[in-house]
Amino acid sequence: MRRIDAIGIGLGIFVAGGLAYVLLRLVGIDSLEAGTWSQVLLFVGLIGWLLTYAFRAVGKKMTYHKQREQYEEAYFQKRLEELTPEELAKIQGEIEQQEQSQV
């Protein structure tokens, strides 16, 4: 994430809190209670975002993990394409021997 993205997100959250306060005031809630409820909404939103972040991190669904998996897959695909038919047959034979010895 770039610095300008972080600044934009922070500014967006600040504006969202202000809009929540104004909307609550327009509904007829007094200023103290509107301030409290707008803070509660922002806090609940923050907790929700943290939970989604934690689930993505634990489930390895972050951008870094996806990029790494794609890189590894492309790397092994390239290595596989570079093998000669004899080397490929040798590797397949070794894999079959390992599978038979594990059974």
Side-chain angles (χ1 to χ4, degrees), residues 74-88:
Y75 172 78
F76 287 121
Q77 182 64 34
K78 183 179 179 190
R79 295 277 299 178
L80 186 62
E81 291 171 357
E82 292 175 350
L83 291 176
T84 64
E86 295 82 20
E87 292 173 325
L88 189 57

Side-chain angles (χ1 to χ4, degrees), residues 36-84:
T36 301
W37 280 109
S38 64
Q39 289 178 8
V40 166
L41 290 172
L42 288 173
F43 180 75
V44 168
L46 176 66
I47 296 300
W49 177 80
L50 285 173
L51 287 174
T52 62
Y53 184 85
F55 284 126
R56 285 184 292 135
V58 170
K60 294 189 177 183
K61 295 182 181 175
M62 305 288 287
T63 304
Y64 169 75
H65 293 293
K66 289 181 181 180
Q67 287 176 341
R68 184 169 177 164
E69 287 173 2
Q70 290 172 354
Y71 171 79
E72 288 175 354
E73 186 176 315
Y75 172 78
F76 287 121
Q77 182 64 34
K78 183 179 179 190
R79 295 277 299 178
L80 186 62
E81 291 171 357
E82 292 175 350
L83 291 176
T84 64

